[in-house]
Amino acid sequence: MKIQRFSRIGFIMAAAGSAVGLGNIWKFPYMTGEYGGGAFVLVYLITIAFIGFSVMVAEMLIGALGRKDTVGSFEELAPPNRKYWKYAGFMGFNGIIIMTFYSVVIGWIFYYLVKLLFGLPSTTDEAKQIFNTLVGDNEIIAIVCHTISVIIVAWIVNKGIKSGIEKINLILMPSLMIILFGLLIYAFSLDGFSKAFAFMFEPKWEKLNSEAIVRAVGHSFFTLSLGMGAILTYAASLPKEASIPKTAFIVTFMDTLIALVAGLVIFSFLFQFGAKPGQGPGLVFISLPTILNNFGTLGIFFALLFFLALAFAGITSAISLVEPVVQYLIDRFNQTRTKAVFLTSLIYWVIGIGALLSYTNSWGKIFSLGGKPLFDILEYTTDSILLPLGGLLIAIFVGYELHKDRVKAALENSMGDTIFHIWRFSIRYIAPIALIFMMLNLMGIIKI
Ligand code: PFF
């Protein structure tokens, strides 16, 4: 099967499009709010720099050298007597599990884009009611929105790498950046900005507990789209002349910058009117629209821009979550792209409905396990277990199974000797140790 190639800028935008998602604009700000700001941000930045970036280079390397789907690339590159490494390639299926809840949230965003056109909530109670009705009572609307999200994503992925994925990223990513930086410039003029800046960058160590550290590490993988073969699958279409370390650096940098900008924008608006930062997942859906109401009509405009940016970020990430399985079905089972997209979309659409119903008052009990809603179980399993596990496998594979000379030859022209050795040390020791610690901690086997 011949894989199409991205252009260089097309690849950067597609990989950045994958990385920059709901994780940056929705999750990062509310996690920062919940875990007390500066110290959490610092741990997140350190993890991105010392582990995330190294694993990003490693994952791109497997795709660029293997040039196949996730399973095929691992199989191709594994030493002859250790072809069982192909099973690591099944990490590509994590994307479908993530999509079951990711698509539901994109659906909520679509709903807000229409709802907010008619005005913003004037009190937190009203905002809560809008959100709780959508999530808890109005399953039909939520299913319709989730379905629209599934169809849009399927439509783009069905067009393939060049005329679907590359094209849409070349449009949506710059648009998203213009919107967010525009909002940042406005936020800069508010009194709330300096408070937001202090909240995000002055570490309050007393707020940092082991849970916050583990969540920061887990989130750094989620936000960079690592550990499930999205970056690997895109890198199989990397143009020959592209430098892996440079590209990985640009993508990591863009992802981090956008998360920080989104945080600054949201907290500036919130602090301008004295709202509290630690409001959990409702931060963007409940607190932000209520606060923006203080700006009158301008507030509606800001809210629409913000939710549009959120929708763009979600869609570009969603296509990268679906593509690995689609590519796998095409490569392995000779399926047409359309059939592969249909089958993949159908699976996560159905499970997504289960996830969505698990939050409703009428169906919640049926779609819960041990008192936990299916939505939360899916999110926790991917974010905290499957992605770190995928990252660990990638680090071990590149650090120990791929021949050093081969790795060096692929990275050498854009990585000096010293940087290469630091990177390799990180991929062989720092990343695996940190990831193993994190997983053991999550399983409650060790406490840090
Ligand atoms: N990085 C995306 C976000 O921050 O929202 C989510 C994601 C996309 C995770 C693709 C994993 C992935 F492979």
Side-chain angles (χ1 to χ4, degrees):
M1 173 73 212
K2 204 173 153 347
I3 288 188
Q4 289 182 332
R5 294 265 163 101
F6 283 109
S7 68
R8 205 149 73 183
I9 180 75
F11 179 79
I12 292 177
M13 285 302 168
S18 169
V20 174
L22 304 181
N24 301 61
I25 308 181
W26 171 55
K27 243 176 140 180
F28 172 74
Y30 86 66
M31 285 173 93
T32 303
E34 272 188 332
Y35 293 115
F40 175 82
V41 175
L42 199 65
V43 177
Y44 169 81
L45 292 178
I46 291 174
T47 322
I48 298 263
F50 290 100
I51 307 177
F53 171 68
S54 309
V55 178
M56 168 85 77
V57 170
E59 188 169 335
M60 271 190 196
L61 191 72
I62 300 175
L65 293 178
R67 296 276 169 201
K68 293 211 168 89
D69 65 281
T70 47
V71 178
S73 289
F74 271 100
E75 191 175 22
E76 170 84 23
L77 300 176
N81 54 342
R82 290 204 282 283
K83 290 295 178 197
Y84 51 74
W85 268 104
K86 72 174 180 200
Y87 295 110
F90 284 105
M91 68 176 67
F93 282 79
N94 292 347
I96 295 306
I97 312 180
I98 297 179
M99 273 311 278
T100 58
F101 60 87
Y102 209 80
S103 171
V104 172
V105 181
I106 296 178
W108 295 347
I109 296 164
F110 289 163
Y111 175 81
Y112 268 70
L113 272 171
V114 177
K115 177 88 189 164
L116 298 184
L117 264 182
F118 299 97
L120 299 172
S122 48
T123 61
T124 310
D125 282 344
E126 193 189 331
K128 268 190 191 147
Q129 203 202 342
I130 295 174
F131 186 66
N132 292 343
T133 310
L134 170 68
V135 174
D137 291 324
N138 217 336
E139 49 265 24
I140 301 292
I141 299 266
I143 291 175
V144 169
C145 294
H146 163 56
T147 309
I148 295 174
S149 145
V150 174
I151 292 172
I152 292 178
V153 172
W155 178 73
I156 300 167
V157 177
N158 191 39
K159 286 183 174 290
I161 291 280
K162 284 288 291 179
S163 35
I165 300 178
E166 172 163 336
K167 212 168 169 185
I168 202 82
N169 274 295
L170 283 174
I171 301 170
L172 295 191
M173 282 308 287
S175 316
L176 163 105
M177 287 189 268
I178 293 171
I179 295 177
L180 273 184
F181 282 96
L183 287 173
L184 180 71
I185 291 172
Y186 183 81
F188 194 67
S189 70
L190 300 173
D191 293 339
F193 184 84
S194 51
K195 289 186 197 139
F197 195 87
F199 177 69
M200 283 183 64
F201 297 109
E202 278 172 16
K204 292 200 190 63
W205 296 110
E206 65 282 3
K207 296 247 172 155
L208 197 70
N209 51 25
S210 72
E211 186 190 324
I213 295 177
V214 169
R215 294 293 307 255
V217 178
H219 186 64
S220 70
F221 271 74
F222 184 84
T223 189
L224 290 176
S225 299
L226 297 174
M228 57 133 287
I231 295 295
L232 190 165
T233 304
Y234 277 2
S237 298
L238 188 74
K240 272 241 149 52
E241 69 284 5
S243 140
I244 294 175
K246 262 193 211 149
T247 315
F249 179 79
I250 297 173
V251 173
T252 308
F253 181 77
M254 277 171 76
D255 185 75
T256 310
L257 185 70
I258 290 186
L260 296 177
V261 169
L264 280 173
V265 166
I266 293 175
F267 291 124
S268 299
F269 282 128
L270 292 186
F271 291 152
Q272 179 75 4
F273 293 97
K276 294 256 172 317
Q279 316 210 0
L283 184 72
V284 158
F285 290 99
I286 297 169
S287 322
L288 191 69
T290 318
I291 285 296
L292 287 177
N293 187 44
N294 292 304
F295 292 94
T297 319
L298 196 61
I300 298 188
F301 178 65
F302 286 154
L304 288 178
L305 280 181
F306 183 83
F307 278 92
L308 203 59
L310 204 50
F312 289 172
I315 291 170
T316 52
S317 296
I319 54 186
S320 79
L321 286 158
V322 175
E323 177 65 10
V325 180
V326 168
Q327 195 63 53
Y328 170 78
L329 293 176
I330 296 174
D331 264 17
R332 294 266 143 171
F333 298 97
N334 255 332
Q335 297 292 319
T336 61
R337 185 166 267 274
T338 305
K339 249 199 201 155
V341 170
F342 180 78
L343 195 72
T344 312
S345 308
L346 186 69
I347 297 174
Y348 82 79
W349 178 69
V350 172
I351 307 177
I353 291 181
L356 166 167
L357 289 176
S358 73
Y359 272 172
T360 59
N361 298 322
S362 345
W363 301 85
K365 280 222 166 68
I366 305 174
F367 289 92
S368 294
L369 224 98
K372 273 211 175 308
L374 180 62
F375 189 112
D376 294 2
I377 297 174
L378 292 165
E379 190 188 0
Y380 177 83
T381 314
T382 44
D383 196 0
S384 306
I385 301 171
L386 296 178
L387 293 189
L389 180 65
L392 181 64
L393 292 173
I394 288 169
I396 293 176
F397 186 71
V398 172
Y400 295 93
E401 294 288 26
L402 281 189
H403 199 281
K404 185 177 170 193
D405 295 341
R406 190 169 187 195
V407 174
K408 200 159 184 219
L411 302 176
E412 201 164 39
N413 50 2
S414 44
M415 233 188 206
D417 242 18
T418 320
I419 307 264
F420 176 76
H421 284 114
I422 298 175
W423 167 78
R424 196 147 181 274
F425 182 79
S426 160
I427 218 64
R428 281 165 70 90
Y429 303 105
I430 303 180
I433 292 172
L435 288 167
I436 290 173
F437 256 106
M438 181 194 147
M439 289 193 311
L440 292 179
N441 182 274
L442 279 168
M443 289 171 201
I445 299 175
I446 52 163
K447 272 263 154 273
I448 48 169

